Amino acid sequence: MNEATVPCRPIVGLTFRYEPREADCVSVRALLEATGVFTAEEVGVGVSLVRERLERGLESGYYFLFADSPEGLVGLGCYGPIGCAPGRFDIYWVAVTPEFHGLGIGRELLRTCEANIRRLGGVRAYVETSSRDEYAPARALYEHNGYAVDALQRDFYADGDNKVTLVKVLI
Amino acid sequence: MNEATVPCRPIVGLTFRYEPREADCVSVRALLEATGVFTAEEVGVGVSLVRERLERGLESGYYFLFADSPEGLVGLGCYGPIGCAPGRFDIYWVAVTPEFHGLGIGRELLRTCEANIRRLGGVRAYVETSSRDEYAPARALYEHNGYAVDALQRDFYADGDNKVTLVKVLI
């Protein structure tokens, strides 16, 4: 357990945990690929964050939350403090494998990330996402949970692919 | 020399170089502290980027440009590609030691960073800065050189301290 952890609300058949394992390098790759949303480069970044956390511990600045079914990993949350911005945190990923969509896992991962951020002294959570259609469900998850658009940067990821930054004040 | 380098326009008494040296860990700290603008944490980040570049080479993703006088380092530029956003680069730092302000060193560092970004395939350069008064000269440097405000995020760095992201399309 991290120093800052809060209990997750139980979801039938799932176990939540905070500590990454070596096997997560494989299962996080499989989960992110299964979503069908992320590019190969983005999947590689996700796996590299797990790797860095395993190697450097919390000094890496990457905090995780894993949702396991008896068959393996089905959900992932990842967040960490923003450098030089005290009390501000980025939520890097909330991802749920498609067969487990609609069960409230994403909302519970997000809620638990936010609760831990508060315990770490965080007052604002930021999420960066794309304006592309594939990301509409992700944006909907955040907007239904109190996030508002903080910035829209046109053509940031590529021509025609805008960056949408959302923020939630945690109180 | 990096693979991607362009000649700097000479400024009397100064030498420009691309390759960091071990001694830059000390001189970059001194330069950033001398500006009086950066927090201790920001100075630490700047030095850590030099360290990471020395250890990992260009794989670190951090490109540098140094301006040396016969007495030592007087100017610094640092930039690198933004992950998962092909052709987009961040300019992390352009800093000049106060005794050498007004000589056009900042402009020349910025111009050369941009030229190298173009040679690396970059089409957009981003700069993140603060809305605080201390950063007004930095914002002026960018705005006088073709950068426009792309996003304003209120209370990002701290309550009352907004993040201003500027962008320039490099053509």
Side-chain angles (χ1 to χ4, degrees), chain A residues 3-26:
Chain A
E3 281 184 35
T5 56
V6 297
C8 289
R9 196 183 55 189
I11 294 181
V12 173
L14 293 192
T15 313
F16 287 88
R17 67 185 160 87
Y18 291 97
E19 283 299 321
R21 306 167 181 156
E22 185 62 35
D24 289 319
C25 294
V26 173

Side-chain angles (χ1 to χ4, degrees), chain B residues 60-111:
Chain B
S60 66
Y62 299 123
Y63 292 79
F64 284 92
L65 179 60
F66 300 95
D68 294 313
S69 80
E71 287 73 41
L73 186 70
V74 300
L76 168 72
C78 178
Y79 57 96
I82 299 175
C84 304
R88 277 62 178 164
F89 281 69
D90 266 327
I91 295 179
Y92 299 111
W93 308 81
V94 171
V96 176
T97 205
E99 306 93 85
F100 285 78
H101 282 183
L103 301 175
I105 301 173
R107 191 179 59 214
E108 182 60 14
L109 287 167
L110 181 57
R111 191 195 70 80

Side-chain angles (χ1 to χ4, degrees), chain A residues 39 41-42 45 82-86 88 124 126 150-159 165, chain B residues 39 41-42 45 82-86 88 124 126 150-159 165:
Chain A
T39 65
E41 185 183 359
E42 288 167 336
V45 169
I82 299 175
C84 304
R88 276 63 178 164
R124 285 174 168 252
Y126 289 89
D150 195 42
L152 171 72
Q153 295 177 259
R154 295 199 185 280
D155 303 321
F156 181 90
Y157 292 113
D159 292 352
T165 303
Chain B
T39 66
E41 185 183 0
E42 289 167 334
V45 169
I82 299 175
C84 304
R88 277 62 178 164
R124 284 174 170 256
Y126 288 89
D150 195 42
L152 172 72
Q153 294 177 260
R154 295 199 184 280
D155 303 321
F156 181 90
Y157 293 113
D159 291 352
T165 303

Side-chain angles (χ1 to χ4, degrees), chain B:
Chain B
M1 296 273 277
N2 298 350
E3 282 184 32
T5 54
V6 296
C8 290
R9 195 185 55 189
I11 294 181
V12 173
L14 293 192
T15 313
F16 287 90
R17 68 186 159 88
Y18 290 98
E19 284 299 322
R21 306 166 182 158
E22 185 63 34
D24 289 318
C25 293
V26 173
S27 54
V28 164
R29 175 177 297 281
L31 190 163
L32 295 178
E33 286 177 349
T35 64
V37 174
F38 304 113
T39 66
E41 185 183 0
E42 289 167 334
V43 171
V45 169
V47 174
S48 75
L49 302 193
V50 179
R51 169 71 53 207
E52 200 168 333
R53 167 61 191 269
L54 286 167
E55 288 172 0
R56 300 177 57 213
L58 288 178
E59 196 192 313
S60 66
Y62 299 123
Y63 292 79
F64 284 92
L65 179 60
F66 300 95
D68 294 313
S69 80
E71 287 73 41
L73 186 70
V74 300
L76 168 72
C78 178
Y79 57 96
I82 299 175
C84 304
R88 277 62 178 164
F89 281 69
D90 266 327
I91 295 179
Y92 299 111
W93 308 81
V94 171
V96 176
T97 205
E99 306 93 85
F100 285 78
H101 282 183
L103 301 175
I105 301 173
R107 191 179 59 214
E108 182 60 14
L109 287 167
L110 181 57
R111 191 195 70 80
T112 309
C113 287
E114 292 170 358
N116 281 315
I117 288 170
R118 278 197 295 269
R119 288 177 60 131
L120 290 163
V123 293
R124 284 174 170 256
Y126 288 89
V127 177
E128 297 180 358
T129 184
S130 157
S131 64
R132 296 209 318 272
D133 289 347
E134 304 94 289
Y135 289 91
R139 292 195 306 277
L141 171 68
Y142 293 114
E143 292 181 340
H144 290 161
N145 285 280
Y147 287 75
V149 173
D150 195 42
L152 172 72
Q153 294 177 260
R154 295 199 184 280
D155 303 321
F156 181 90
Y157 293 113
D159 291 352
D161 186 357
N162 310 326
K163 177 161 98 171
V164 184
T165 303
L166 302 116
V167 66
K168 180 175 181 177
V169 177
L170 305 175
I171 44 175

Side-chain angles (χ1 to χ4, degrees), chain A residues 4 8 13 20 23 54 62-63 97 103 114 146-147 149:
Chain A
C8 289
L54 286 166
Y62 299 122
Y63 293 78
T97 204
L103 301 175
E114 291 170 359
Y147 288 74
V149 173

Side-chain angles (χ1 to χ4, degrees), chain A residues 2 10-11 39 51 55 57 62 67-68 86 91 95 103 105 127 129-130 141 151 158 166:
Chain A
N2 297 350
I11 294 181
T39 65
R51 170 71 51 206
E55 288 173 0
Y62 299 122
D68 293 314
I91 296 180
L103 301 175
I105 301 173
V127 177
T129 184
S130 157
L141 170 69
L166 300 116

